Amino acid sequence: MDEKHLEKAYDEQLSIQTTGDQQGFPQLAHYHRYEPTPYAGLDELFERCTLDASDGFVDVGCGKGRVAFYVHDRFRTSVTGIEMNPAFFDVCLQNKIGYMRKRKRRHGLIDFQCVMAQEYEVKAEDTVFYFFNPFSVQIFMRVVQRILASMEAFPRQVTLILYYPSDEYLYYLEHQTVFDWLDEVKLGGMYEKNEHERFVLFQYQS
């Protein structure tokens, strides 16, 4: 199945609509345009990286909610999607209606918040954070500092998953935080053409 048909098939399976790019959103210096993570990439990532029902997964800059719904459906874990764009936040809420209609008894909560990532109140149960290069490294640093403060208050293992990571993100995590490089997942057929087509995982164990 080619990528276009796979994207459509997954959306239909999850009863959501996440294809298409950003529409009518102002260009802000520190924020990047919406682009969903390919489903094929998520399949590769989560063959290597498994989550427990006790994990709390946070999709930072969740767009229309694709990764949030995928993770909730696959792992039954609680998921939070953070999105600053009110239009995309509304799409997430509409997608949630369709998604939950067939999953009324599914374990794990799924929640969306319309908030700037650097203002999100990190919860003690948040253990996995997902980033698809959503904003500048300056904002990324502020988000990570909030995560680190939560880890100090509530010691726990925390994993950061970066898709299409910028060199600035990687340098900051490797040289200025307590997170250690955990794994790298190169997307088959894509990484060979573009070395950014990969997931990089960092982790801190308390």
Side-chain angles (χ1 to χ4, degrees), residues 143-153 172 176-179:
V143 174
V144 172
Q145 287 300 318
R146 291 186 77 103
I147 296 170
L148 292 169
S150 174
M151 291 162 51
E152 185 172 343
Y172 168 67
Q176 299 181 40
T177 74
V178 296
F179 287 100

Side-chain angles (χ1 to χ4, degrees), residues 38-55:
Y39 281 116
L42 293 175
D43 284 344
E44 284 196 58
L45 168 66
F46 290 113
E47 284 297 314
R48 293 262 290 273
C49 170
T50 60
L51 304 180
D52 295 326
S54 60
D55 280 317

Side-chain angles (χ1 to χ4, degrees), residues 118-189:
Q118 62 271 32
E119 297 173 1
Y120 171 68
E121 294 289 341
V122 179
K123 302 186 293 292
E125 55 268 28
D126 293 340
T127 58
V128 182
F129 294 81
Y130 181 85
F131 300 86
F132 179 0
N133 199 21
F135 31 62
S136 69
V137 69
Q138 289 84 0
I139 293 178
F140 180 69
M141 291 166 68
R142 292 168 64 185
V143 174
V144 172
Q145 287 300 318
R146 291 186 77 103
I147 296 170
L148 292 169
S150 174
M151 291 162 51
E152 185 172 343
F154 304 98
R156 63 196 187 277
Q157 176 178 292
V158 170
T159 304
L160 307 181
I161 302 174
L162 279 57
Y163 173 52
Y164 214 91
S166 70
D167 292 338
E168 292 84 3
Y169 276 32
L170 298 177
Y171 183 90
Y172 168 67
L173 289 176
E174 288 187 275
H175 297 282
Q176 299 181 40
T177 74
V178 296
F179 287 100
D180 295 317
W181 180 290
L182 177 66
D183 199 4
E184 177 183 44
V185 180
K186 300 175 181 178
L187 299 193

